[in-house]
Every structure is written in C-alpha cells, then in structure tokens.
Amino acid sequence: MPQQKKIGFDDVREIALAMPGVAASTSWRAPSFKVGGRLFACQAIHRSAEPGSLMVRVERSLRDELLATEPDVYYVTPHYESYPCLLVRLERIGREALERLLGISCFFVSSTSSPSTSKKRARTKRGASPGGKRPGRRRSAKSE
C-alpha cells in the first residue's frame, strides 16, 4: 500500500484558496486565510503550539468531538482554550479530512458574528465621545 503524502502548509494554501471568497492574508505576521475579511485558519505561531500546526476556528462542540475522537491529530493548548478554535497537526491529517475541516471552518466564520469583532466594536463605542472626538484630547489655543 503506498504511503500517504504528508500534508504541509502549501496544501492548506491550495485548499483554502480554492474556496469561494477566501483570500490569503497575514495574522500576527503568519500566513492566514480569511473569508469576508474574517480569519478562519492560520499557521499556529504561539509558542505553546507544536511546530507544523494549523489553527482553525470551529464551534466548541465540534472541537470537543474532534479532540475526543482523534487526539493524535487535533489538540488545544491553554493559550487557545478560551477561543473557538482547534489546533491541527498537519503531518497527521489526511487531505480529505483537511478539506472538510477548512470548509467547516470557513462556513463557521462566515455564518457567525465574531466575538472579537463585537468586542472591538463595543470598545470603540465606549471610547468615543459625542461628535466623534476622542476623549482626553484638547486643542491648544494656538491651533484654533
């Protein structure tokens, strides 16, 4: 039986960019993929992630299921635990499984509102003052 080719980040790029509306980007100075400007997959670069890992955003219930059924392929570190995401050991996942997972992740991100985006909007609204001026900034008499 022929040995299956190991998956690498080039395979992730090829699969992701074949999906409608997906664009290559960078997040935290690492290659990433976004749909509608929203991150759904990126190279896992936090020091807690194993080398050669991919971070994908997924529902927590799916994450829990995958962690329970295939812990040799999927994992989460404490850094990523509070986010709706999953880490994937690329050298241990098959191409079909990766294609399915990236499709699920892309759909998840494009069909839900992002908690981080909502938090950014809330901070912006709280920090804004009437008239759109930033609080704490005064004009000197010379500039008026």
Side-chain angles (χ1 to χ4, degrees):
M1 188 164 146
Q3 191 166 351
Q4 188 176 1
K5 177 187 168 248
K6 289 188 178 182
I7 298 293
F9 203 76
D10 288 338
D11 298 294
V12 174
R13 180 178 289 107
E14 179 186 329
I15 295 165
L17 292 178
M19 293 189 279
V22 171
S25 186
T26 56
S27 299
W28 305 281
R29 298 182 305 233
S32 67
F33 301 96
K34 296 179 181 181
V35 60
R38 298 175 65 200
L39 174 72
F40 73 91
C42 69
Q43 189 175 25
I45 61 165
H46 189 266
R47 67 182 170 269
S48 66
E50 297 172 17
S53 292
L54 177 72
M55 186 282 302
V56 293
R57 294 190 53 209
V58 294
E59 289 183 51
R60 291 176 196 269
S61 60
L62 176 60
R63 175 176 84 177
D64 295 344
E65 180 183 327
L66 291 171
L67 288 171
T69 59
E70 295 186 74
D72 58 320
V73 177
Y74 307 105
Y75 70 105
V76 175
T77 65
H79 171 77
Y80 293 95
E81 209 165 72
S82 62
Y83 301 102
C85 68
L86 179 67
L87 296 169
V88 182
R89 295 176 178 102
L90 289 176
E91 65 182 24
R92 296 186 184 174
I93 191 168
R95 187 171 178 98
E96 283 185 31
L98 179 62
E99 288 173 352
R100 263 193 319 275
L101 183 62
L102 287 173
I104 289 167
S105 180
C106 183
F107 179 78
F108 169 69
V109 166
S110 62
S111 65
T112 60
S113 66
S114 168
S116 61
T117 303
S118 299
K119 287 178 187 174
K120 285 178 190 173
R121 284 187 195 131
R123 278 196 305 261
T124 303
K125 287 179 182 177
R126 278 192 304 247
S129 63
K133 295 179 184 173
R134 292 182 2 205
R137 300 203 57 169
R138 296 183 184 174
R139 290 183 162 187
S140 67
K142 290 180 182 177
S143 64
E144 291 181 358

mmCIF file of all heavy atoms in Angstrom, residues 62-103:
data_model
loop_
_atom_site.group_PDB
_atom_site.id
_atom_site.type_symbol
_atom_site.label_atom_id
_atom_site.label_comp_id
_atom_site.label_asym_id
_atom_site.label_seq_id
_atom_site.Cartn_x
_atom_site.Cartn_y
_atom_site.Cartn_z
ATOM 1 N N LEU A 62 -17.832 20.943 18.066
ATOM 2 C CA LEU A 62 -17.045 20.180 17.101
ATOM 3 C C LEU A 62 -15.621 19.988 17.619
ATOM 4 O O LEU A 62 -15.040 18.907 17.498
ATOM 5 C CB LEU A 62 -17.029 20.866 15.734
ATOM 6 C CG LEU A 62 -16.150 20.200 14.677
ATOM 7 C CD1 LEU A 62 -16.588 18.764 14.409
ATOM 8 C CD2 LEU A 62 -16.140 21.013 13.393
ATOM 9 N N ARG A 63 -15.067 21.038 18.201
ATOM 10 C CA ARG A 63 -13.717 20.939 18.771
ATOM 11 C C ARG A 63 -13.669 19.813 19.804
ATOM 12 O O ARG A 63 -12.780 18.965 19.756
ATOM 13 C CB ARG A 63 -13.306 22.259 19.416
ATOM 14 C CG ARG A 63 -11.962 22.157 20.132
ATOM 15 C CD ARG A 63 -11.515 23.470 20.680
ATOM 16 N NE ARG A 63 -12.113 23.730 21.978
ATOM 17 C CZ ARG A 63 -11.844 24.801 22.702
ATOM 18 N NH1 ARG A 63 -11.012 25.724 22.246
ATOM 19 N NH2 ARG A 63 -12.404 24.982 23.865
ATOM 20 N N ASP A 64 -14.636 19.794 20.707
ATOM 21 C CA ASP A 64 -14.664 18.767 21.742
ATOM 22 C C ASP A 64 -14.769 17.372 21.141
ATOM 23 O O ASP A 64 -14.113 16.431 21.592
ATOM 24 C CB ASP A 64 -15.816 19.022 22.715
ATOM 25 C CG ASP A 64 -15.638 20.310 23.511
ATOM 26 O OD1 ASP A 64 -14.504 20.846 23.546
ATOM 27 O OD2 ASP A 64 -16.632 20.791 24.084
ATOM 28 N N GLU A 65 -15.593 17.241 20.113
ATOM 29 C CA GLU A 65 -15.772 15.942 19.456
ATOM 30 C C GLU A 65 -14.466 15.477 18.793
ATOM 31 O O GLU A 65 -14.062 14.327 18.952
ATOM 32 C CB GLU A 65 -16.883 16.060 18.412
ATOM 33 C CG GLU A 65 -17.168 14.782 17.669
ATOM 34 C CD GLU A 65 -18.224 14.977 16.593
ATOM 35 O OE1 GLU A 65 -19.146 15.798 16.779
ATOM 36 O OE2 GLU A 65 -18.118 14.296 15.561
ATOM 37 N N LEU A 66 -13.818 16.371 18.066
ATOM 38 C CA LEU A 66 -12.574 16.000 17.383
ATOM 39 C C LEU A 66 -11.452 15.693 18.374
ATOM 40 O O LEU A 66 -10.670 14.762 18.169
ATOM 41 C CB LEU A 66 -12.150 17.100 16.406
ATOM 42 C CG LEU A 66 -13.048 17.262 15.184
ATOM 43 C CD1 LEU A 66 -12.672 18.505 14.392
ATOM 44 C CD2 LEU A 66 -13.019 16.026 14.309
ATOM 45 N N LEU A 67 -11.381 16.462 19.444
ATOM 46 C CA LEU A 67 -10.366 16.200 20.469
ATOM 47 C C LEU A 67 -10.568 14.823 21.107
ATOM 48 O O LEU A 67 -9.602 14.118 21.404
ATOM 49 C CB LEU A 67 -10.403 17.276 21.552
ATOM 50 C CG LEU A 67 -9.882 18.650 21.149
ATOM 51 C CD1 LEU A 67 -10.183 19.670 22.248
ATOM 52 C CD2 LEU A 67 -8.403 18.613 20.838
ATOM 53 N N ALA A 68 -11.820 14.453 21.294
ATOM 54 C CA ALA A 68 -12.123 13.167 21.926
ATOM 55 C C ALA A 68 -11.873 11.988 20.989
ATOM 56 O O ALA A 68 -11.416 10.933 21.425
ATOM 57 C CB ALA A 68 -13.567 13.153 22.410
ATOM 58 N N THR A 69 -12.156 12.180 19.694
ATOM 59 C CA THR A 69 -12.048 11.056 18.762
ATOM 60 C C THR A 69 -10.674 10.906 18.116
ATOM 61 O O THR A 69 -10.290 9.795 17.773
ATOM 62 C CB THR A 69 -13.114 11.155 17.649
ATOM 63 O OG1 THR A 69 -12.950 12.387 16.949
ATOM 64 C CG2 THR A 69 -14.514 11.062 18.221
ATOM 65 N N GLU A 70 -9.957 12.011 17.931
ATOM 66 C CA GLU A 70 -8.645 11.935 17.266
ATOM 67 C C GLU A 70 -7.603 12.833 17.959
ATOM 68 O O GLU A 70 -7.108 13.793 17.368
ATOM 69 C CB GLU A 70 -8.769 12.322 15.797
ATOM 70 C CG GLU A 70 -9.617 11.350 14.989
ATOM 71 C CD GLU A 70 -9.588 11.681 13.519
ATOM 72 O OE1 GLU A 70 -8.539 11.411 12.886
ATOM 73 O OE2 GLU A 70 -10.591 12.217 13.020
ATOM 74 N N PRO A 71 -7.248 12.525 19.192
ATOM 75 C CA PRO A 71 -6.299 13.368 19.933
ATOM 76 C C PRO A 71 -4.883 13.359 19.357
ATOM 77 O O PRO A 71 -4.098 14.250 19.666
ATOM 78 C CB PRO A 71 -6.328 12.787 21.344
ATOM 79 C CG PRO A 71 -6.772 11.381 21.157
ATOM 80 C CD PRO A 71 -7.704 11.388 19.988
ATOM 81 N N ASP A 72 -4.570 12.403 18.500
ATOM 82 C CA ASP A 72 -3.250 12.386 17.868
ATOM 83 C C ASP A 72 -3.170 13.395 16.718
ATOM 84 O O ASP A 72 -2.091 13.822 16.333
ATOM 85 C CB ASP A 72 -2.901 10.990 17.360
ATOM 86 C CG ASP A 72 -3.920 10.453 16.371
ATOM 87 O OD1 ASP A 72 -5.126 10.659 16.587
ATOM 88 O OD2 ASP A 72 -3.508 9.812 15.378
ATOM 89 N N VAL A 73 -4.329 13.818 16.185
ATOM 90 C CA VAL A 73 -4.377 14.783 15.078
ATOM 91 C C VAL A 73 -4.707 16.184 15.589
ATOM 92 O O VAL A 73 -4.094 17.161 15.174
ATOM 93 C CB VAL A 73 -5.418 14.356 14.018
ATOM 94 C CG1 VAL A 73 -5.524 15.400 12.902
ATOM 95 C CG2 VAL A 73 -5.087 12.991 13.450
ATOM 96 N N TYR A 74 -5.683 16.269 16.490
ATOM 97 C CA TYR A 74 -6.186 17.558 16.962
ATOM 98 C C TYR A 74 -5.816 17.779 18.423
ATOM 99 O O TYR A 74 -5.809 16.847 19.220
ATOM 100 C CB TYR A 74 -7.711 17.603 16.829
ATOM 101 C CG TYR A 74 -8.190 17.272 15.437
ATOM 102 C CD1 TYR A 74 -8.772 16.042 15.156
ATOM 103 C CD2 TYR A 74 -8.052 18.188 14.397
ATOM 104 C CE1 TYR A 74 -9.210 15.729 13.875
ATOM 105 C CE2 TYR A 74 -8.480 17.882 13.114
ATOM 106 C CZ TYR A 74 -9.058 16.651 12.859
ATOM 107 O OH TYR A 74 -9.485 16.357 11.594
ATOM 108 N N TYR A 75 -5.553 19.033 18.765
ATOM 109 C CA TYR A 75 -5.233 19.366 20.154
ATOM 110 C C TYR A 75 -5.500 20.839 20.404
ATOM 111 O O TYR A 75 -5.753 21.612 19.478
ATOM 112 C CB TYR A 75 -3.776 18.999 20.489
ATOM 113 C CG TYR A 75 -2.732 19.873 19.826
ATOM 114 C CD1 TYR A 75 -2.044 20.835 20.569
ATOM 115 C CD2 TYR A 75 -2.416 19.747 18.478
ATOM 116 C CE1 TYR A 75 -1.073 21.641 19.980
ATOM 117 C CE2 TYR A 75 -1.448 20.542 17.889
ATOM 118 C CZ TYR A 75 -0.781 21.483 18.635
ATOM 119 O OH TYR A 75 0.174 22.279 18.059
ATOM 120 N N VAL A 76 -5.466 21.220 21.669
ATOM 121 C CA VAL A 76 -5.625 22.614 22.091
ATOM 122 C C VAL A 76 -4.658 22.835 23.239
ATOM 123 O O VAL A 76 -4.479 21.964 24.082
ATOM 124 C CB VAL A 76 -7.068 22.904 22.556
ATOM 125 C CG1 VAL A 76 -7.196 24.305 23.116
ATOM 126 C CG2 VAL A 76 -8.052 22.725 21.426
ATOM 127 N N THR A 77 -4.031 23.987 23.266
ATOM 128 C CA THR A 77 -3.169 24.354 24.387
ATOM 129 C C THR A 77 -3.916 25.381 25.243
ATOM 130 O O THR A 77 -4.905 25.969 24.780
ATOM 131 C CB THR A 77 -1.837 24.960 23.897
ATOM 132 O OG1 THR A 77 -2.114 26.198 23.240
ATOM 133 C CG2 THR A 77 -1.099 24.011 22.953
ATOM 134 N N PRO A 78 -3.470 25.603 26.459
ATOM 135 C CA PRO A 78 -4.160 26.591 27.308
ATOM 136 C C PRO A 78 -4.319 27.966 26.645
ATOM 137 O O PRO A 78 -5.336 28.638 26.844
ATOM 138 C CB PRO A 78 -3.272 26.663 28.553
ATOM 139 C CG PRO A 78 -2.677 25.300 28.642
ATOM 140 C CD PRO A 78 -2.421 24.897 27.209
ATOM 141 N N HIS A 79 -3.347 28.374 25.837
ATOM 142 C CA HIS A 79 -3.438 29.673 25.160
ATOM 143 C C HIS A 79 -4.677 29.756 24.265
ATOM 144 O O HIS A 79 -5.341 30.793 24.185
ATOM 145 C CB HIS A 79 -2.184 29.936 24.329
ATOM 146 C CG HIS A 79 -2.299 31.149 23.454
ATOM 147 N ND1 HIS A 79 -2.180 32.423 23.952
ATOM 148 C CD2 HIS A 79 -2.549 31.288 22.125
ATOM 149 C CE1 HIS A 79 -2.343 33.301 22.947
ATOM 150 N NE2 HIS A 79 -2.568 32.625 21.841
ATOM 151 N N TYR A 80 -4.988 28.681 23.562
ATOM 152 C CA TYR A 80 -6.086 28.664 22.593
ATOM 153 C C TYR A 80 -7.412 28.201 23.196
ATOM 154 O O TYR A 80 -8.450 28.287 22.538
ATOM 155 C CB TYR A 80 -5.733 27.742 21.418
ATOM 156 C CG TYR A 80 -4.598 28.254 20.566
ATOM 157 C CD1 TYR A 80 -3.294 27.830 20.783
ATOM 158 C CD2 TYR A 80 -4.831 29.150 19.532
ATOM 159 C CE1 TYR A 80 -2.249 28.288 19.990
ATOM 160 C CE2 TYR A 80 -3.803 29.623 18.738
ATOM 161 C CZ TYR A 80 -2.509 29.189 18.972
ATOM 162 O OH TYR A 80 -1.484 29.649 18.193
ATOM 163 N N GLU A 81 -7.397 27.696 24.414
ATOM 164 C CA GLU A 81 -8.563 27.063 25.013
ATOM 165 C C GLU A 81 -9.806 27.956 25.083
ATOM 166 O O GLU A 81 -10.920 27.495 24.894
ATOM 167 C CB GLU A 81 -8.211 26.582 26.417
ATOM 168 C CG GLU A 81 -9.000 25.394 26.860
ATOM 169 C CD GLU A 81 -8.360 24.759 28.070
ATOM 170 O OE1 GLU A 81 -8.437 25.368 29.169
ATOM 171 O OE2 GLU A 81 -7.778 23.681 27.907
ATOM 172 N N SER A 82 -9.633 29.226 25.359
ATOM 173 C CA SER A 82 -10.794 30.104 25.521
ATOM 174 C C SER A 82 -11.364 30.604 24.190
ATOM 175 O O SER A 82 -12.398 31.263 24.173
ATOM 176 C CB SER A 82 -10.440 31.296 26.408
ATOM 177 O OG SER A 82 -9.431 32.060 25.797
ATOM 178 N N TYR A 83 -10.723 30.275 23.086
ATOM 179 C CA TYR A 83 -11.183 30.703 21.765
ATOM 180 C C TYR A 83 -11.896 29.556 21.057
ATOM 181 O O TYR A 83 -11.582 28.394 21.292
ATOM 182 C CB TYR A 83 -10.001 31.164 20.903
ATOM 183 C CG TYR A 83 -9.244 32.307 21.508
ATOM 184 C CD1 TYR A 83 -8.033 32.078 22.162
ATOM 185 C CD2 TYR A 83 -9.731 33.602 21.430
ATOM 186 C CE1 TYR A 83 -7.323 33.127 22.721
ATOM 187 C CE2 TYR A 83 -9.028 34.661 21.998
ATOM 188 C CZ TYR A 83 -7.829 34.410 22.637
ATOM 189 O OH TYR A 83 -7.131 35.446 23.199
ATOM 190 N N PRO A 84 -12.831 29.854 20.163
ATOM 191 C CA PRO A 84 -13.484 28.785 19.402
ATOM 192 C C PRO A 84 -12.566 28.317 18.273
ATOM 193 O O PRO A 84 -12.751 28.651 17.103
ATOM 194 C CB PRO A 84 -14.756 29.451 18.871
ATOM 195 C CG PRO A 84 -14.376 30.888 18.732
ATOM 196 C CD PRO A 84 -13.401 31.166 19.854
ATOM 197 N N CYS A 85 -11.540 27.579 18.648
ATOM 198 C CA CYS A 85 -10.578 27.129 17.649
ATOM 199 C C CYS A 85 -9.978 25.785 18.050
ATOM 200 O O CYS A 85 -10.167 25.304 19.165
ATOM 201 C CB CYS A 85 -9.491 28.167 17.433
ATOM 202 S SG CYS A 85 -8.393 28.389 18.837
ATOM 203 N N LEU A 86 -9.240 25.236 17.102
ATOM 204 C CA LEU A 86 -8.654 23.920 17.244
ATOM 205 C C LEU A 86 -7.287 23.942 16.575
ATOM 206 O O LEU A 86 -7.103 24.609 15.565
ATOM 207 C CB LEU A 86 -9.576 22.926 16.525
ATOM 208 C CG LEU A 86 -9.223 21.468 16.480
ATOM 209 C CD1 LEU A 86 -9.309 20.863 17.880
ATOM 210 C CD2 LEU A 86 -10.179 20.746 15.546
ATOM 211 N N LEU A 87 -6.341 23.222 17.130
ATOM 212 C CA LEU A 87 -5.026 23.095 16.510
ATOM 213 C C LEU A 87 -4.944 21.745 15.813
ATOM 214 O O LEU A 87 -5.447 20.736 16.331
ATOM 215 C CB LEU A 87 -3.927 23.222 17.563
ATOM 216 C CG LEU A 87 -3.872 24.592 18.252
ATOM 217 C CD1 LEU A 87 -2.936 24.547 19.450
ATOM 218 C CD2 LEU A 87 -3.448 25.670 17.283
ATOM 219 N N VAL A 88 -4.310 21.733 14.649
ATOM 220 C CA VAL A 88 -4.221 20.533 13.824
ATOM 221 C C VAL A 88 -2.751 20.223 13.552
ATOM 222 O O VAL A 88 -2.001 21.096 13.105
ATOM 223 C CB VAL A 88 -4.934 20.746 12.469
ATOM 224 C CG1 VAL A 88 -4.885 19.491 11.622
ATOM 225 C CG2 VAL A 88 -6.356 21.221 12.670
ATOM 226 N N ARG A 89 -2.356 18.999 13.816
ATOM 227 C CA ARG A 89 -1.010 18.535 13.459
ATOM 228 C C ARG A 89 -1.062 18.152 11.982
ATOM 229 O O ARG A 89 -1.588 17.097 11.615
ATOM 230 C CB ARG A 89 -0.619 17.341 14.316
ATOM 231 C CG ARG A 89 -0.478 17.680 15.785
ATOM 232 C CD ARG A 89 -0.175 16.422 16.603
ATOM 233 N NE ARG A 89 -0.001 16.757 17.993
ATOM 234 C CZ ARG A 89 -0.936 16.552 18.941
ATOM 235 N NH1 ARG A 89 -2.116 16.022 18.623
ATOM 236 N NH2 ARG A 89 -0.684 16.881 20.188
ATOM 237 N N LEU A 90 -0.531 19.030 11.129
ATOM 238 C CA LEU A 90 -0.657 18.829 9.688
ATOM 239 C C LEU A 90 -0.051 17.510 9.214
ATOM 240 O O LEU A 90 -0.575 16.887 8.294
ATOM 241 C CB LEU A 90 -0.031 20.001 8.929
ATOM 242 C CG LEU A 90 -0.805 21.317 9.006
ATOM 243 C CD1 LEU A 90 -0.054 22.424 8.299
ATOM 244 C CD2 LEU A 90 -2.200 21.154 8.425
ATOM 245 N N GLU A 91 1.021 17.073 9.827
ATOM 246 C CA GLU A 91 1.665 15.835 9.366
ATOM 247 C C GLU A 91 0.827 14.589 9.671
ATOM 248 O O GLU A 91 1.104 13.528 9.147
ATOM 249 C CB GLU A 91 3.048 15.688 9.976
ATOM 250 C CG GLU A 91 3.050 15.521 11.475
ATOM 251 C CD GLU A 91 4.440 15.419 12.055
ATOM 252 O OE1 GLU A 91 5.398 15.909 11.424
ATOM 253 O OE2 GLU A 91 4.564 14.839 13.145
ATOM 254 N N ARG A 92 -0.238 14.754 10.473
ATOM 255 C CA ARG A 92 -1.050 13.598 10.856
ATOM 256 C C ARG A 92 -2.462 13.609 10.285
ATOM 257 O O ARG A 92 -3.235 12.695 10.542
ATOM 258 C CB ARG A 92 -1.132 13.499 12.379
ATOM 259 C CG ARG A 92 0.217 13.253 12.997
ATOM 260 C CD ARG A 92 0.107 13.009 14.455
ATOM 261 N NE ARG A 92 1.427 12.868 15.049
ATOM 262 C CZ ARG A 92 1.632 12.759 16.338
ATOM 263 N NH1 ARG A 92 0.609 12.775 17.171
ATOM 264 N NH2 ARG A 92 2.852 12.639 16.808
ATOM 265 N N ILE A 93 -2.810 14.629 9.531
ATOM 266 C CA ILE A 93 -4.167 14.703 8.977
ATOM 267 C C ILE A 93 -4.118 14.330 7.495
ATOM 268 O O ILE A 93 -3.147 14.623 6.795
ATOM 269 C CB ILE A 93 -4.786 16.107 9.179
ATOM 270 C CG1 ILE A 93 -6.278 16.108 8.860
ATOM 271 C CG2 ILE A 93 -4.044 17.167 8.376
ATOM 272 C CD1 ILE A 93 -7.011 17.357 9.288
ATOM 273 N N GLY A 94 -5.169 13.676 7.017
ATOM 274 C CA GLY A 94 -5.288 13.357 5.605
ATOM 275 C C GLY A 94 -5.849 14.530 4.835
ATOM 276 O O GLY A 94 -6.474 15.430 5.405
ATOM 277 N N ARG A 95 -5.628 14.524 3.545
ATOM 278 C CA ARG A 95 -6.079 15.637 2.711
ATOM 279 C C ARG A 95 -7.605 15.809 2.741
ATOM 280 O O ARG A 95 -8.101 16.922 2.856
ATOM 281 C CB ARG A 95 -5.584 15.478 1.284
ATOM 282 C CG ARG A 95 -5.901 16.704 0.436
ATOM 283 C CD ARG A 95 -5.225 16.665 -0.903
ATOM 284 N NE ARG A 95 -5.603 17.822 -1.679
ATOM 285 C CZ ARG A 95 -4.881 18.920 -1.800
ATOM 286 N NH1 ARG A 95 -3.714 19.006 -1.207
ATOM 287 N NH2 ARG A 95 -5.300 19.928 -2.539
ATOM 288 N N GLU A 96 -8.342 14.724 2.639
ATOM 289 C CA GLU A 96 -9.812 14.822 2.658
ATOM 290 C C GLU A 96 -10.314 15.404 3.975
ATOM 291 O O GLU A 96 -11.208 16.249 3.979
ATOM 292 C CB GLU A 96 -10.453 13.454 2.420
ATOM 293 C CG GLU A 96 -10.431 13.029 0.978
ATOM 294 C CD GLU A 96 -11.191 11.727 0.758
ATOM 295 O OE1 GLU A 96 -12.170 11.459 1.494
ATOM 296 O OE2 GLU A 96 -10.800 10.992 -0.154
ATOM 297 N N ALA A 97 -9.740 14.956 5.080
ATOM 298 C CA ALA A 97 -10.143 15.475 6.390
ATOM 299 C C ALA A 97 -9.812 16.962 6.498
ATOM 300 O O ALA A 97 -10.593 17.741 7.047
ATOM 301 C CB ALA A 97 -9.465 14.689 7.505
ATOM 302 N N LEU A 98 -8.662 17.361 5.971
ATOM 303 C CA LEU A 98 -8.269 18.775 5.992
ATOM 304 C C LEU A 98 -9.216 19.602 5.135
ATOM 305 O O LEU A 98 -9.634 20.697 5.534
ATOM 306 C CB LEU A 98 -6.828 18.948 5.525
ATOM 307 C CG LEU A 98 -6.318 20.386 5.492
ATOM 308 C CD1 LEU A 98 -6.333 21.003 6.887
ATOM 309 C CD2 LEU A 98 -4.914 20.429 4.904
ATOM 310 N N GLU A 99 -9.573 19.100 3.955
ATOM 311 C CA GLU A 99 -10.515 19.824 3.098
ATOM 312 C C GLU A 99 -11.850 20.033 3.807
ATOM 313 O O GLU A 99 -12.411 21.125 3.779
ATOM 314 C CB GLU A 99 -10.736 19.062 1.787
ATOM 315 C CG GLU A 99 -9.544 19.118 0.850
ATOM 316 C CD GLU A 99 -9.697 18.223 -0.371
ATOM 317 O OE1 GLU A 99 -10.669 17.425 -0.458
ATOM 318 O OE2 GLU A 99 -8.821 18.297 -1.252
ATOM 319 N N ARG A 100 -12.352 18.974 4.454
ATOM 320 C CA ARG A 100 -13.615 19.077 5.198
ATOM 321 C C ARG A 100 -13.492 20.087 6.331
ATOM 322 O O ARG A 100 -14.358 20.939 6.520
ATOM 323 C CB ARG A 100 -14.002 17.711 5.778
ATOM 324 C CG ARG A 100 -14.979 16.930 4.960
ATOM 325 C CD ARG A 100 -15.577 15.734 5.698
ATOM 326 N NE ARG A 100 -14.646 14.972 6.513
ATOM 327 C CZ ARG A 100 -13.853 13.992 6.066
ATOM 328 N NH1 ARG A 100 -13.871 13.660 4.798
ATOM 329 N NH2 ARG A 100 -13.046 13.350 6.887
ATOM 330 N N LEU A 101 -12.416 19.995 7.098
ATOM 331 C CA LEU A 101 -12.228 20.881 8.241
ATOM 332 C C LEU A 101 -12.119 22.344 7.818
ATOM 333 O O LEU A 101 -12.726 23.223 8.434
ATOM 334 C CB LEU A 101 -10.980 20.466 9.030
ATOM 335 C CG LEU A 101 -10.701 21.260 10.298
ATOM 336 C CD1 LEU A 101 -11.841 21.095 11.306
ATOM 337 C CD2 LEU A 101 -9.383 20.811 10.911
ATOM 338 N N LEU A 102 -11.366 22.621 6.773
ATOM 339 C CA LEU A 102 -11.247 24.006 6.299
ATOM 340 C C LEU A 102 -12.586 24.525 5.784
ATOM 341 O O LEU A 102 -12.938 25.688 6.004
ATOM 342 C CB LEU A 102 -10.166 24.119 5.222
ATOM 343 C CG LEU A 102 -8.734 24.009 5.732
ATOM 344 C CD1 LEU A 102 -7.751 23.949 4.564
ATOM 345 C CD2 LEU A 102 -8.380 25.150 6.660
ATOM 346 N N GLY A 103 -13.361 23.671 5.113
ATOM 347 C CA GLY A 103 -14.697 24.067 4.658
ATOM 348 C C GLY A 103 -15.619 24.382 5.821
ATOM 349 O O GLY A 103 -16.345 25.379 5.809
#
